Amino acid sequence: MNKQWLMGIDLGGSGVRCLLLDSSTRSTVECAQPWRFSPAPGTFGTGFDLDLDELWRTVGAASREALLKAGIEGGQVAALAISAMRFSTVVVDAQGKALLAVPNSDARAAGECFEIAEQYGAALVRDTGSPALPLHASARLRWLQNQQPGSLENVASVYGCGEWLVEQLTGVRAIDPSQGSASGLFSLHEADWAWDLVDEMALPRTIFPPVVTSGTALGTLTATAADHLGLSTETVVGMGGGDTQCSLLGAGTVERGQCAVVAGTTAPVQVVADTPVIDDSGAMIAAHHVVPGRWVLESSGGPMGFSISTLARILFPGSTQAEAQLFAEASRSETGAAGMLSTFGADLMNMGAPSMPMGTITLSHMGCSDDPQPRRHLARAVVEGCACAVKANRDRLEGPLAGTATTLQADTLTLCGGLSRSDTFGQVLADIADLEIAVPEVWQTSALGAALCAGVAAGTWDDLSAASAAISASRRRFSPREEQRQDCDQLYASWQRLRQAAETGTDPVAVDHLLPRVLREPDTGAGAHGAAVGRLDALVTAAFGDASLDTLRNHMDVEYASFREAHRLLTGPDLVRELQGRQVFVTEVDVVDAAALKELPDLRVVAACRGDAVNVDVEACTAFGIPVLFAPGRNAVAVADLAVGFMISLARKLPDASQF
């Protein structure tokens, strides 16, 4: 069987992407499976848990879907590698049980991060290339120790979700320098752990995996893993790396001075260097590239893609292509967006002093009061603001590069990630940045970079640079339009003034208003990222017909115990006992009061099958955040029937007959 296919699996913030690359024709097949992260109880909105069982299931589904879409058998895949979100952390014990598993959005260790920053300060930046971050494994390990004293004694390994998956696939424990750089415990100058720092933090050396270069063959799939993915036990697993650096590899950004923005959920802007380049201020971070002998310096534009998606859902509710519609609307507007300016989703982050991501959109009725379609200008303002942020972050990279052997390529910027799918964004960025924007043909460059790591592991290419050169030559290009130059210069200057004014003007007020909402303890059912519980569990004690029960069971697990048939009325301890672990309660006569609600943390909704929910303490439910449904007019037909029956009985003189 001809094994010409390579697989790249990307574990991203919004889902798992699987890409198959035909190494002979260079054609690709891609698919995606979404996932969400659950808010972590007790972290007051700052923590999110990573469900490793869900990760395993989703990866398997993505792999099998990609094989089906490509029309190939699993035995035709020569090798695979993993690209994964940076700043995720998985801590496991000797039995493989997860003591902690969190995605890159988890910030529960903010307090521990401040402790580390105070203790190590500038030395941390010099040694690791990054100031202390709450996303670092170092802070999360300290958090785990604080929450569970003595827990470090049980830790067998600490790594990211990508390395955890590699171990499940092969039984091999390893990490590459790009992912090691995201731990806060990895040497920027050596491709190894910062052992002196590890010792100072009193962390066991044995919990840190061996460091392996990206593209190294780690082994082949176990029988269980091969069966799960639909592949072969002969499929080689290569070492992948961090998603941003894998994206640079897939986009052909591997040589000194080349610069790219990976505009996905977030928007890191990275320049490649052939020696470590450190930003002493800590505003930017430095890390290892996946390519050996290469480093990156990174400035961050913040949650750009996430913010655009949020606004798109607001402007186009219910649409399955909301982001595409937003960019289409923006293309119909003008440079300057009819006088609107936006910093929404457009940031110049200071990694050493992180702040609440806030955005401003300036609105005035005078700008487009007579315009029948003003939505296009709002969309344009947000797109232009994001392009301004990319330019600001790129320009900031030049500071630490001064006096080094690395200089930014002056005329080109590579755009990859989800936003690269929009020609509108590509052209707006070219005009505002006054640069040629190069866009790879394959937008899923993180998964493509992982596939290139797999190709090197399988021997398809000699090294990662050769693999990148072979695949990334074809690209679209957007050139700045001279007729837009003056307007874009003015727009960028105005955007900078708005951003700087917000730092000392309206932002503190807005942050004070937002913080109580962000820091409140989230529901276990749904959090800030819309993470939902699993299948709902319902108890129905009201009288229901079979058809209605079947409808309910299409959406949830239902236990049906009609009060008419069971001859019982639930209240007090009996009610609490029956509703433990259930999210939905459908009742007609049972008494739901505050005392019971205090004992039912999983309950999410009460449905009272009455015209007025007299059996439910609605005020108490409201205080606990539990909506109460009821059925006004539910007996309207029956009441009408009864009235007609009375009239018929009078016409037939039935009351008189009864008395007689």
Side-chain angles (χ1 to χ4, degrees), residues 97-123:
K97 178 184 176 182
L99 304 176
L100 182 69
V102 299
N104 57 0
S105 54
D106 179 86
R108 71 183 71 189
E112 287 75 13
C113 164
F114 293 138
E115 293 175 6
I116 293 172
E118 183 176 356
Q119 186 173 358
Y120 297 100

Side-chain angles (χ1 to χ4, degrees), residues 164-178:
W164 175 86
L165 179 57
V166 165
E167 188 169 13
Q168 307 312 301
L169 297 177
T170 64
V172 176
R173 193 171 71 113
I175 196 169
D176 89 292
S178 70

Side-chain angles (χ1 to χ4, degrees), residues 308-581:
I308 286 178
S309 294
T310 299
L311 182 65
R313 293 198 306 272
I314 293 172
L315 295 180
F316 307 99
S319 172
T320 59
Q321 299 289 332
E323 292 89 347
Q325 286 183 260
L326 183 145
F327 283 112
E329 286 281 314
S331 69
R332 298 173 55 244
S333 181
E334 63 197 52
T335 301
M340 297 183 192
L341 276 173
S342 170
T343 61
F344 181 67
D347 208 344
L348 192 65
M349 292 185 66
N350 184 340
M351 302 300 286
S355 59
M356 181 69 66
M358 298 294 300
T360 298
I361 302 177
T362 64
L363 298 174
S364 171
H365 72 280
M366 299 181 67
C368 52
S369 59
D370 58 347
D371 193 317
Q373 297 176 317
R375 183 171 59 182
R376 57 190 173 134
H377 304 308
L378 177 58
R380 176 78 179 205
V382 171
V383 171
E384 288 180 338
C386 290
C388 286
V390 173
K391 172 177 169 55
N393 280 277
R394 180 195 176 276
D395 291 350
R396 185 168 68 170
L397 290 168
E398 292 183 342
L401 296 177
T404 73
T406 300
T407 56
L408 277 170
Q409 286 190 357
D411 57 350
T412 303
L413 173 68
T414 296
L415 168 64
C416 47
L419 297 189
S420 70
R421 290 176 289 177
S422 169
D423 287 354
T424 297
F425 187 70
Q427 187 59 63
V428 170
L429 181 57
D431 291 336
I432 289 176
D434 195 23
L435 294 168
E436 183 175 81
I437 304 300
V439 180
E441 291 294 337
V442 177
W443 73 269
Q444 293 185 0
T445 46
S446 291
L448 178 59
L452 298 184
C453 291
V456 173
T460 305
W461 298 285
D462 292 336
D463 56 45
L464 294 177
S465 294
S468 183
I471 296 299
S472 63
S474 177
R475 55 186 59 207
R476 295 172 291 142
R477 296 183 182 275
F478 299 91
S479 299
R481 297 172 293 184
E482 186 57 36
E483 64 271 20
Q484 299 289 327
R485 181 77 273 117
Q486 184 174 351
D487 289 340
C488 286
D489 287 346
Q490 178 59 49
L491 166 63
Y492 182 66
S494 298
W495 180 86
Q496 282 281 37
R497 290 199 301 273
L498 177 66
R499 182 189 64 79
Q500 291 163 3
E503 291 180 352
T504 55
T506 59
D507 264 8
V509 177
V511 169
D512 289 345
H513 179 68
L514 176 64
L515 271 177
R517 169 62 180 84
V518 173
L519 295 180
R520 76 184 186 191
E521 184 65 18
D523 292 341
T524 57
H529 287 200
V533 298
R535 188 169 171 84
L536 298 172
D537 193 344
L539 173 64
V540 178
T541 60
F544 262 51
D546 290 341
S548 297
L549 286 172
D550 289 343
T551 300
L552 273 182
R553 285 174 173 141
N554 287 334
H555 302 282
M556 61 191 75
D557 296 326
V558 176
E559 179 183 339
Y560 179 56
S562 168
F563 77 97
R564 298 182 190 277
E565 299 172 4
H567 304 292
R568 69 176 182 179
L569 182 150
L570 294 175
T571 185
D574 292 338
L575 178 72
V576 171
R577 183 182 63 254
E578 293 298 325
L579 288 180
Q580 283 300 318

